[in-house]
Amino acid sequence: MAGAGAARRQWVPAALLSLALFGVLGVFFGGGVLAQPLAAQGRSITWAALFRQGPPVSPRAAQVAAAAQEYPPLPGVTSVAIGATGFDSYWMNPFLMGLQRTAGSGQFATYGLPHKEPLRAEALLKRFPDRVRFIATDPEGARVIRDLLTRRPELAGRVTLVTLPGVE
């Protein structure tokens, strides 16, 4: 009996080491859990490929940084960046909320939502009943919110839209 327990204790670290090794190799060779496909702006990419490419570089990242300065956080209002696609918003919101130090109140705007607009904005507003300030980083993002407010005028009391300089 005592021998069986010792053998089991030796097996557990070996199994954990094997899992860790496969995970690391998955990042570099695109296998395993990290190979789950993501749909990004009409292309298919994996988490492993994103890791190898490094952080996403976008001129909009600079715009979001400007938005954090231009539109500081307001008490009782959550700021949400909105771009041409829901995938853009997915990348921009954690960045914006990190700069504004509002990640705790704004995590609802990032996770578990569709990656297509206007479905993303509508799902966000259904999930979150408080006031939301959308910061449009491009004309398409502004159009999505304007159309939403036109279709649902009852949202006007809790939804505001601001645009970055140069966005109409």
Side-chain angles (χ1 to χ4, degrees), residues 9-168:
R9 283 191 298 268
Q10 290 175 350
W11 178 83
V12 171
L16 292 175
L17 180 63
S18 297
L19 285 173
L21 178 63
F22 287 126
V24 169
L25 290 175
V27 169
F28 294 107
F29 297 109
V33 173
L34 298 171
Q36 302 304 313
L38 299 170
Q41 299 173 355
R43 61 191 168 106
S44 180
I45 192 163
T46 64
W47 284 109
L50 282 174
F51 181 83
R52 287 193 303 267
Q53 289 175 6
V57 178
S58 166
R60 287 199 206 126
Q63 290 177 319
V64 174
Q69 298 296 319
E70 181 92 16
Y71 304 106
L74 297 172
V77 178
T78 300
S79 295
V80 176
I82 185 166
T85 69
F87 198 75
D88 287 342
S89 300
Y90 177 80
W91 285 113
M92 291 185 282
N93 278 314
F95 184 53
L96 173 66
M97 291 172 196
L99 290 171
Q100 290 188 337
R101 297 182 179 179
T102 59
S105 66
Q107 67 185 2
F108 72 89
T110 304
Y111 306 107
L113 295 172
H115 286 302
K116 293 186 183 220
E117 294 297 354
L119 297 175
R120 183 175 184 81
E122 291 173 3
L124 184 153
L125 292 170
K126 283 180 188 172
R127 178 188 290 183
F128 191 71
D130 294 339
R131 293 175 37 206
V132 177
R133 173 176 58 183
F134 285 99
I135 301 173
T137 60
D138 57 37
E140 183 63 21
R143 185 194 62 75
V144 164
I145 300 304
R146 286 186 186 114
D147 289 351
L148 181 64
L149 290 172
T150 300
R151 282 192 326 272
R152 301 201 38 216
E154 73 275 7
L155 294 174
R158 69 181 186 99
V159 173
T160 56
L161 171 66
V162 294
T163 58
L164 295 181
V167 174
E168 306 207 6

